Amino acid sequence: MVHTMAHTLDLGRRVELVSMDPHAGDISLGLYREDSPEGPGYLIHTYSANPEAARRVEFLTRAAEVLGGARGAPGQRFRFPCQTGHQTAARRLFLEAAKLPTGDELQPRPLTVHDRKSGQDLTVEPLGAGRYRVTTSTADEARCAVLANGLRKLAEMDATEGQPVVAFPCGQDHHELVGLLLPRALNVRAALREEESALSRGQLSAPSSQK
Ligand SMILES: [Zn+2]
């Protein structure tokens, strides 16, 4: 199959990369963003002709919908129902989905996470209109603040001064995204390092250089 320049441009702008996917023969996968009047849509794409590639892309797109609360959009894309980009969260959603083997059972994650560092469960309570409060039965406010700060960074949420409350700027709920990001938000430095190393591994292989 010949990939013309027009085909490449149709993908949109690449915003994230998995350079070697161990669950699909080490193929490279890109996450592409295309803005449209209905809101930004994301496309997972690979240039690989590996027989597993199409099935992998299909699984990851489905995972984005289930684990991130995204909806299918034209052209195999997905987008968030609020029609907002949430690009930082979308990139994280793609990276988290790519950790799962193809065919893994997909279920939205709970709004509670066990914090090994303090030995307690932290819960995120929806307040409506895209706002969430981090709570714990032991009233350990420091860990609640850590989790709220992690969510703020990983999902580009707005913080409330002096309170463990974070909010999506679109003003709409995204329970699935919050549940997915909770474990990562407890160690946001490691999560950000992972993103940086994915980016520094460079460009998605062009068709000519990848079998
Ligand atoms: Zn939103």
Side-chain angles (χ1 to χ4, degrees):
M1 184 176 172
V2 176
H3 292 265
T4 64
M5 182 63 81
H7 177 89
T8 303
L9 290 175
D10 280 344
L11 294 173
R13 183 163 50 91
R14 181 161 66 82
V15 294
E16 192 52 272
L17 171 75
V18 170
S19 62
M20 286 175 67
D21 180 354
H23 298 299
D26 288 342
I27 62 173
S28 297
L29 292 154
L31 179 69
Y32 295 81
R33 170 177 172 153
E34 186 186 62
D35 294 336
S36 80
E38 291 76 37
Y42 294 96
L43 177 73
I44 297 170
H45 176 79
T46 177
Y47 288 111
S48 172
N50 183 312
E52 290 173 67
R55 201 170 150 249
R56 185 62 175 160
V57 166
E58 198 178 307
F59 171 76
L60 293 179
T61 305
R62 173 88 188 116
E65 292 171 17
V66 176
L67 301 177
R71 304 275 160 77
Q76 314 275 309
R77 287 180 164 80
F78 65 86
R79 72 165 69 103
F80 296 108
C82 63
Q83 304 186 337
T84 304
H86 296 304
Q87 184 171 302
T88 303
R91 289 168 52 208
R92 171 54 52 187
L93 172 61
F94 171 60
L95 291 175
E96 293 298 322
K99 291 175 184 171
L100 305 173
T102 305
D104 211 24
E105 193 188 347
L106 296 171
Q107 271 189 340
R109 306 277 164 84
L111 292 178
T112 294
V113 64
H114 183 70
D115 176 27
R116 269 180 297 182
K117 193 160 180 174
S118 63
Q120 65 188 330
D121 287 343
L122 300 176
T123 297
V124 175
E125 177 193 347
L127 302 175
R131 296 171 74 241
Y132 296 83
R133 181 198 307 276
V134 185
T135 63
T136 169
S137 56
T138 60
D140 184 343
E141 285 170 19
R143 293 306 287 168
C144 290
V146 165
L147 186 61
N149 187 48
L151 286 175
R152 183 178 67 77
K153 286 184 176 153
L154 292 182
E156 282 180 305
M157 296 174 84
D158 298 327
T160 305
E161 185 79 34
Q163 282 189 55
V165 174
V166 285
F168 285 103
C170 64
Q172 295 191 29
D173 291 341
H174 292 284
H175 293 358
E176 296 91 342
L177 272 183
V178 172
L180 177 77
L181 294 173
L182 278 190
R184 308 299 295 173
L186 279 172
N187 191 350
V188 73
R189 221 177 292 171
L192 294 179
R193 260 202 311 272
E194 187 180 86
E195 276 173 25
E196 275 164 25
S197 77
L199 283 179
S200 69
R201 277 195 296 271
Q203 299 295 308
L204 184 63
S205 306
S208 56
S209 66
Q210 190 181 17
K211 291 283 183 294

